[in-house]
């Protein structure tokens, strides 16, 4: 049987209208708080590791991976909210006024590259992460994100930095 979508499919939007009724700044602040809460929770899980037996340690690490992926996702949204208006301003600016905007774009892209590299290790280690289900016993619809999708994103970010913003070379990769 094929799953029949009950709503619009998830898709990329190239603007920040999705933040309504909140402003992009307000949405970014909410995602910053979400990221901070998950970071605090991850620290608490790390503090529990020395006290756990082998089975408990394995479960804690799986939960830490899940929490770290959510934290990375919140960070990704914050970077996206910062990126879009800067990108638009950069493209609209005269060439002699682009340097400051380019530097800001490079900083965001480098941060997001590190974020994606952090997330991929957790997604590769735990098949639960990135998966989605319809919730009504129909077959899985596929992943929200997969290691292959994150790898592709890493390649795109490297291209943006190296070729489009001329600020990076693969030899700088960690």
């Amino acid at each position: 049987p094929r799953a029949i979508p009950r709503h619009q499919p998830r898709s990329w939007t190239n603007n920040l209208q999705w933040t309504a009724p909140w402003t992009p700044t307000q949405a970014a602040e909410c995602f910053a708080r979400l990221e901070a809460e998950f970071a605090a929770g991850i620290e608490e899980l790390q503090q529990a590791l020395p006290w756990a037996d082998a089975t408990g340690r394995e479960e804690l690490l799986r939960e830490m991976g899940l929490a770290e992926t959510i934290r990375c996702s919140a960070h990704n949204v914050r970077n996206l909210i910062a990126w879009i208006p800067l990108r638009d301003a950069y493209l609209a600016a005269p060439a002699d006024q682009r340097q400051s905007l380019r530097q800001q774009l490079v900083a965001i892209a480098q941060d997001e590259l590190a974020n994606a590299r952090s997330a991929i290790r957790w997604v590769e280690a735990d098949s639960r992460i990135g998966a989605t289900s319809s919730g009504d016993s129909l077959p899985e619809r596929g992943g929200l994100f997969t290691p292959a999708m994150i790898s592709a994103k890493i390649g795109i970010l490297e291209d943006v930095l190296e070729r489009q913003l001329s600020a990076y070379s693969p030899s700088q990769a960690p």
Side-chain angles (χ1 to χ4, degrees):
R2 259 183 98 198
I4 300 169
R6 294 188 184 92
H7 52 77
Q8 289 292 91
R10 290 180 295 273
S11 63
W12 163 250
T13 58
N14 203 14
N15 60 54
L16 296 176
Q17 292 174 1
W18 59 267
T19 65
W22 300 279
T23 67
T25 300
Q26 290 169 323
E29 289 169 359
C30 290
F31 279 99
R33 286 194 298 272
L34 177 67
E35 182 180 1
E37 289 294 325
F38 270 88
I42 292 163
E43 285 183 33
E44 289 183 22
L45 291 172
Q46 286 173 333
Q47 291 173 9
L49 281 173
W51 304 99
D53 63 15
T55 302
R57 181 176 175 75
E58 184 177 315
E59 286 303 311
L60 280 170
L61 289 171
R62 284 172 42 97
E63 293 306 310
M64 284 171 57
L66 187 59
E68 185 61 32
T69 304
I70 295 169
R71 188 206 59 74
C72 287
S73 294
H75 192 81
N76 167 260
V77 174
R78 291 178 52 220
N79 278 337
L80 181 65
I81 291 170
W83 176 270
I84 289 176
L86 277 173
R87 179 213 51 204
D88 293 348
Y90 176 83
L91 293 173
D96 63 339
Q97 297 175 13
R98 287 185 169 178
Q99 182 61 19
S100 171
L101 295 168
R102 187 188 72 76
Q103 289 173 343
Q104 293 174 68
L105 288 169
V106 166
I108 294 168
Q110 288 174 334
D111 184 65
E112 187 54 32
L113 182 58
N115 188 51
R117 287 181 173 146
S118 176
I120 196 169
R121 70 184 178 112
W122 298 108
V123 177
E124 289 174 335
D126 189 339
S127 63
R128 299 175 305 161
I129 300 174
T132 184
S133 173
S134 62
D136 56 8
S137 73
L138 292 173
E140 294 276 331
R141 292 185 186 175
L144 295 172
F145 50 87
T146 63
M149 291 170 77
I150 297 172
S151 291
K153 175 183 179 170
I154 289 169
I156 290 167
L157 285 166
E158 289 173 342
D159 180 68
V160 165
L161 286 163
E162 179 182 346
R163 197 175 55 78
Q164 297 177 35
L165 294 174
S166 301
Y168 174 83
S169 70
S171 63
Q172 295 172 317

